Amino acid sequence: MFIVFEGIDGTGKSTQAKLFSEALTRKNIPHVLTREPGGSSAAENIRSLVLQHEFLPITELLLMIAARNEHWNATIQPALQRGEWVICDRYIDSTRAHQGFEAGIDLGLINQLHELLRIPTKSDHVFILMLDIDVALGRARSRAQQDRYDHFDRPYYEKIYNGFQQLAATGKHYHLIDANRSIEDIHQEILSVIF
Ligand code: ADP
Ligand code: MG
């Protein structure tokens, strides 16, 4: 199983990915909890670059895909081959939402680049956490460790929010989750989809 958590900043992706991982540990299911951009030594280096600097949209896309290529080959694929589950905080739909829906890059090109590199464009399940944009923005901005994404304006977040909503309609592996609820309620809904 390859399970991804998506949504705009501050929606609770990292919180839910960690809780889900803890539930797998209790069930004795071997798994890897990882994140994007990052998730391998080389990809984490690319992560610090993209969080610190503003690049042209196409450059940012190529950096995100370069990071994913490292992450897929060094972390995700080996874990899946060992028979372990992979729980990933953000994956290709973040690229589609940010570089596609927000920055205007063709979604077909994003798919083509992945296909060229033989990186899967689909995981088994994608939980998209949908939270009121103002609440999400408030949480992201009050975080201790800030990055440049925490300072974008509301229209930027709206484009990404709407992008995720449109993506969710394109496949049965997407699960739109109402994240305007308690951490535990959201966790229970996610568990009920998988188990
Ligand atoms: P993301 O990874 O999507 O940016 P986080 O998991 O880091 O979001 O959560 C952002 C903040 O919101 C954290 O301080 C977290 O404890 C809090 N939080 C997460 N989920 C909820 C929730 N359902 N209700 C209230 N606070 C939450
Ligand atoms: Mg997070």
Side-chain angles (χ1 to χ4, degrees):
M1 278 278 199
F2 179 14
I3 298 174
V4 174
F5 289 81
E6 294 279 10
I8 59 175
D9 277 333
T11 49
K13 295 180 297 297
S14 304
T15 303
Q16 292 299 331
K18 181 167 174 285
L19 274 181
F20 190 76
S21 160
E22 288 166 3
L24 292 184
T25 301
R26 284 194 300 276
K27 291 177 188 290
N28 291 316
I29 296 175
H31 65 281
V32 170
L33 172 62
T34 186
R35 69 165 179 187
E36 288 208 348
S40 79
S41 166
E44 287 289 333
N45 275 301
I46 300 174
R47 178 191 179 94
S48 14
L49 264 181
V50 296
L51 292 187
Q52 282 167 40
H53 300 275
E54 193 180 338
F55 294 94
L56 292 171
I58 192 78
T59 311
E60 192 172 14
L61 171 68
L62 294 171
L63 286 170
M64 290 298 185
I65 294 177
R68 181 160 305 128
N69 192 43
E70 289 296 326
H71 185 215
W72 169 256
N73 284 287
T75 305
I76 304 177
Q77 188 180 40
L80 294 173
Q81 272 173 352
R82 291 193 302 268
E84 297 176 11
W85 290 28
V86 172
I87 311 308
C88 195
D89 184 343
R90 293 189 180 280
Y91 188 63
I92 189 170
D93 292 301
S94 278
T95 311
R96 291 180 174 127
H98 286 257
Q99 280 72 49
F101 285 92
E102 197 283 319
I105 295 172
D106 178 50
L107 294 179
L109 174 66
I110 296 176
N111 278 343
Q112 279 170 19
L113 288 167
H114 284 77
E115 282 155 15
L116 185 73
L117 298 168
R118 299 176 195 279
I119 309 169
T121 54
K122 190 173 171 289
S123 58
D124 295 307
H125 293 277
V126 183
F127 292 102
I128 305 183
L129 302 179
M130 299 303 276
L131 176 67
D132 181 84
I133 296 177
D134 293 312
V135 177
L137 259 174
R139 282 190 200 162
R141 284 177 180 161
S142 64
R143 245 199 291 257
Q145 219 188 340
Q146 295 278 305
D147 61 56
R148 64 185 190 87
Y149 290 94
D150 295 324
H151 300 282
F152 288 151
D153 56 6
R154 199 175 194 283
Y156 171 89
Y157 280 87
E158 274 167 6
K159 283 190 206 156
I160 294 169
Y161 182 98
N162 294 335
F164 276 127
Q165 221 159 20
Q166 289 185 54
L167 286 168
T170 65
K172 282 202 174 119
H173 61 301
Y174 291 111
H175 310 280
L176 273 182
I177 303 291
D178 176 8
N180 300 285
R181 297 178 295 157
S182 75
I183 290 174
E184 187 56 28
D185 281 1
I186 299 166
H187 176 56
Q188 289 305 325
E189 182 181 348
I190 289 167
L191 285 181
S192 75
V193 171
I194 304 294
F195 296 105

